[in-house]
Amino acid sequence: MTTNDPNSNEATVKPTSSISRIWLIPIIVALIGGWMVYYQWTNQGPLITIELHSATGIEVNKTPIKVRDLDIGQVKKISLKPDLDGVLVTARIDASASHLLNENAKFWVVAPRISFSEVSGLNTLISGSYIAMSADDNGKEQLHFNALSRPPVTPPGTPGLHVMLRSDDEFAYKPGDPIIYKGFKVGEFEDATFNIEERVVYYDAFIEAPYHKLITVNTRFWDVSGVKLQLESSGVSVETGSLETLLANGITFGIPDGVPKGELVVENAFFTIYEDNTAASDARYKVAAEYLLLIDESVRGLTVGAPVEYRGIEIGNVTGINSLPAIEGNILEQDYPIPVLINIYPGKARQPDTEEGLSAIKQTLRNWLERDLRATLRMGNVLTGGLYVDLQHVPDAAGSGKVSIVNGYEVIPTVSNEFTQLTQKADAILDKINQLPLKEMVANVQLAVEDMKLAAESVETASTDFDLLIEDIDAKALNGNLNQVLVSLDSLLKNYSDGGFNQSEIKETVDTLQDTLRNIQPLLLKLNQSPNSLIFSKDGGEDIQPKAQEK
């Protein structure tokens, strides 16, 4: 027993504490750490897995996941897929962004990318690659994703319109190729998928606002890639788009002439990409009347798509040349006509594009065929040699009456085209030329040429003789004689002017000279007949004539 008496010799015993105060510090630290762990655990986001083709540029606990350049997570693990065709990236997403993990979320790796159509991700040359995510808080929750092979062309949240495009032609487009409207870039291709069964390509495209308001149910899309040089029956046409479509593929769109604007389309509306503006415009015609032409001449220059015209107005086009279902036989047969199928559209003939309009067109053409409607191939352009089908009324046409039908097609009779007519006329002219006596004509021409040659030689000889004669003339003597005559004439005139013989005296002298010439004229005549009469008398006897010797 312990007492409190100070005079007592007994010690006072007091109890001591079993726990040292120094342990308070680690306890407090442990509590804080536990609270932090609990807070971190309760506030951390979910783990997600992302399938990538490769892990290029991705690092554990370093590569971030970003939405609009804001970090919302980090890569925690990288592993190979069981089938070895890619990698699985495990990432922790912040709890504040967990509501974005749904079926509409998309992931892709942002890295430096340089291609023919774009340059992107250059900022990652310094900071390094990262995984970007498109934010969308609508949709069913999802924690496993397949990353895109490339960044989406259209940034998430961009206002505009997504459309689906289809093409079965040779031209193809890749993500990033432009969509042009009147020279302005208004959208881009986002993705392309080839359907093996249908053998067509489907495209996802995006039209930016406010240009998406131009897309209606009557809008048509067509190709404007590069430079198109077409040799058509009407001539040579060159089509180009913008500078951007000269370097890469691209399309444009519009509403065909004469077609109403139509209603605006909804998201992911479906359209077809046509070869050109003409094909896009003709796509509005839904019904057409089919006819058959049996051509006995050459169809060189006639192509599928060539126009069919009536009085210069295009009302259809050629749909097939020598197609198998048209008629039986083959081109190697001597009397085999080449079948040409054509379409005539009621809409192009100012008729309703309906079954009623089609019936009206067929009835009108049937009446014309019974009378005088005929088809001919005409040359649309001399440079290209392209042909087109011209429907015309031919008076007194052969075969008028009943309309012929072959394999279900009404046949439009044909007449020779102008080229064949020119050929026939040329053949007739050549036949007439062949009937001419060309050998005799050539021989006569040769003789005429020889005579002309001889005449030319004679003229040359005469010219030479004349030159020699001119050279023989004494020019000085002739000049002297002329000078003497001129002097005498000058003296006579001077004498006359100075009071010499006047006109009456000269006339009297001339009259006297004439009388004297008349008087001596008998004498001159006699001297001319008998020059010796002045010497011998007239009675001189007869002249002795020699005689022959007598036998």
Side-chain angles (χ1 to χ4, degrees):
M1 179 176 180
T2 303
T3 64
N4 296 326
D5 186 1
N7 297 320
S8 177
N9 295 327
E10 294 181 0
T12 302
V13 179
K14 294 181 179 181
T16 59
S17 177
S18 62
I19 299 176
S20 176
R21 295 179 180 180
I22 196 65
W23 289 103
L24 293 177
I25 295 177
I27 291 174
I28 294 173
V29 171
L31 290 176
I32 293 175
W35 178 85
M36 293 179 64
V37 171
Y38 174 78
Y39 180 84
Q40 180 68 22
W41 180 77
T42 56
N43 289 277
Q44 71 179 353
L47 287 174
I48 64 171
T49 56
I50 305 171
E51 293 187 15
L52 295 173
H53 180 68
S54 68
T56 303
I58 307 299
E59 299 181 20
V60 176
N61 295 325
K62 184 176 181 181
T63 301
I65 297 178
K66 297 183 178 183
V67 173
R68 298 183 181 273
D69 287 335
L70 176 65
D71 292 352
I72 62 168
Q74 192 177 63
V75 174
K76 297 300 182 179
K77 182 181 178 181
I78 302 175
S79 61
L80 285 173
K81 293 178 62 178
D83 53 6
L84 302 180
D85 64 346
V87 297
L88 287 175
V89 174
T90 302
R92 176 74 66 180
I93 302 298
D94 296 342
S96 60
S98 60
H99 65 285
L100 300 177
L101 300 176
N102 53 59
E103 58 186 357
N104 295 323
K106 299 183 183 300
F107 294 85
W108 64 92
V109 177
V110 178
R113 186 183 302 271
I114 300 176
S115 64
F116 188 75
S117 59
E118 67 170 347
V119 177
S120 62
L122 296 183
N123 59 327
T124 60
L125 290 174
I126 299 176
S127 62
S129 301
Y130 63 90
I131 297 177
M133 172 186 175
S134 63
D136 189 349
D137 56 358
N138 295 321
K140 185 178 179 181
E141 183 180 3
Q142 182 175 324
L143 298 179
H144 184 82
F145 303 91
N146 291 321
L148 302 177
S149 59
R150 52 162 293 143
V153 176
T154 305
T158 303
L161 175 70
H162 286 89
V163 295
M164 299 292 295
L165 303 176
R166 172 186 179 275
S167 172
D168 56 359
D169 289 324
E170 298 296 332
F171 45 80
Y173 310 94
K174 60 183 181 298
D177 285 345
I179 299 176
I180 306 298
Y181 183 76
K182 296 187 181 300
F184 291 93
K185 181 180 178 181
V186 299
E188 289 181 328
F189 285 86
E190 292 187 323
D191 195 11
T193 304
F194 180 72
N195 189 310
I196 298 179
E197 295 180 356
E198 299 180 10
R199 296 187 178 183
V200 297
V201 183
Y202 291 93
Y203 300 96
D204 295 330
F206 182 78
I207 309 297
E208 300 175 1
Y211 304 103
H212 69 288
K213 297 180 181 179
L214 299 173
I215 309 301
T216 68
V217 293
N218 292 328
T219 300
R220 299 291 182 268
F221 291 82
W222 64 90
D223 179 69
V224 288
S225 303
V227 178
K228 293 184 178 180
L229 176 63
Q230 297 180 347
L231 300 178
E232 302 173 338
S233 59
S234 58
V236 180
S237 63
V238 179
E239 296 182 2
T240 60
S242 64
L243 178 61
E244 192 169 2
T245 58
L246 290 177
L247 303 177
N249 293 336
I251 63 173
T252 187
F253 60 89
I255 299 177
D257 295 336
V259 177
K261 181 179 179 180
E263 299 179 356
L264 296 177
V265 299
V266 296
E267 187 79 2
N268 293 323
F270 184 83
F271 296 93
T272 299
I273 302 176
Y274 296 94
E275 181 180 2
D276 51 30
N277 187 16
T278 301
S281 179
D282 291 345
R284 56 179 163 165
Y285 303 115
K286 305 301 181 182
V287 296
E290 292 185 311
Y291 292 92
L292 177 64
L293 309 180
L294 300 178
I295 309 297
D296 295 327
E297 307 161 356
S298 173
V299 294
R300 180 179 179 85
L302 184 66
T303 59
V304 174
V308 176
E309 296 185 359
Y310 174 73
R311 297 175 62 185
I313 303 298
E314 182 178 342
I315 61 174
N317 55 17
V318 176
T319 59
I321 300 175
N322 196 31
S323 56
L324 295 179
I327 63 174
E328 298 179 354
N330 59 78
I331 196 172
L332 299 179
E333 298 177 2
Q334 184 175 1
D335 57 347
Y336 174 79
I338 300 176
V340 175
L341 293 175
I342 64 173
N343 275 353
I344 296 179
Y345 300 98
K348 289 188 174 183
R350 306 296 293 274
Q351 293 289 335
D353 190 30
T354 60
E355 293 296 332
E356 291 76 10
L358 181 62
S359 299
I361 283 292
K362 289 183 175 180
Q363 184 61 42
T364 300
L365 291 181
R366 188 177 297 112
N367 295 335
W368 286 355
L369 290 174
E370 292 175 353
R371 297 199 304 266
D372 56 3
L373 184 66
R374 298 295 180 266
T376 183
L377 300 182
R378 295 188 181 277
M379 185 177 297
N381 187 274
V382 178
L383 178 62
T384 63
L387 301 178
Y388 69 95
V389 178
D390 184 31
L391 300 180
Q392 56 183 326
H393 297 279
V394 179
D396 302 328
S400 299
K402 186 177 180 180
V403 178
S404 176
I405 298 178
V406 175
N407 290 341
Y409 298 102
E410 294 187 0
V411 179
I412 300 179
T414 60
V415 295
S416 300
N417 58 26
E418 65 267 19
F419 182 76
T420 302
Q421 296 173 0
L422 290 175
T423 303
Q424 294 174 354
K425 292 180 181 180
D427 291 340
I429 294 174
L430 291 176
D431 292 337
K432 293 181 179 179
I433 292 176
N434 291 332
Q435 295 175 1
L436 295 176
L438 296 180
K439 293 183 178 180
E440 292 78 0
M441 294 175 62
V442 172
N444 294 333
V445 171
Q446 290 178 348
L447 292 176
V449 171
E450 292 179 357
D451 292 340
M452 292 176 64
K453 183 178 180 180
L454 294 174
E457 292 177 354
S458 300
V459 172
E460 184 177 0
T461 303
S463 177
T464 303
D465 295 341
F466 182 76
D467 292 338
L468 294 175
L469 178 62
I470 293 299
E471 291 177 357
D472 292 338
I473 295 176
D474 189 354
K476 293 183 178 180
L478 181 61
N479 291 335
N481 293 333
L482 289 175
N483 291 332
Q484 186 176 0
V485 171
L486 292 175
V487 170
S488 299
L489 180 60
D490 182 66
S491 300
L492 178 61
L493 293 176
K494 184 177 181 180
N495 186 23
Y496 179 77
S497 61
D498 292 341
F501 292 105
N502 53 26
Q503 184 176 4
S504 60
E505 291 177 346
I506 293 175
K507 184 175 184 303
E508 185 177 344
T509 302
V510 172
D511 292 339
T512 303
L513 181 60
Q514 289 180 351
D515 292 338
T516 302
L517 292 175
R518 291 192 189 98
N519 291 331
I520 65 175
Q521 184 175 5
L523 177 61
L524 296 175
L525 180 60
K526 185 175 181 179
L527 290 175
N528 186 29
Q529 295 176 353
S530 301
N532 60 353
S533 60
L534 294 176
I535 301 174
F536 301 99
S537 61
K538 187 176 182 181
D539 297 334
E542 297 180 356
D543 293 337
I544 299 175
Q545 302 291 333
K547 296 181 179 180
Q549 184 178 359
E550 296 180 359
K551 297 181 178 179

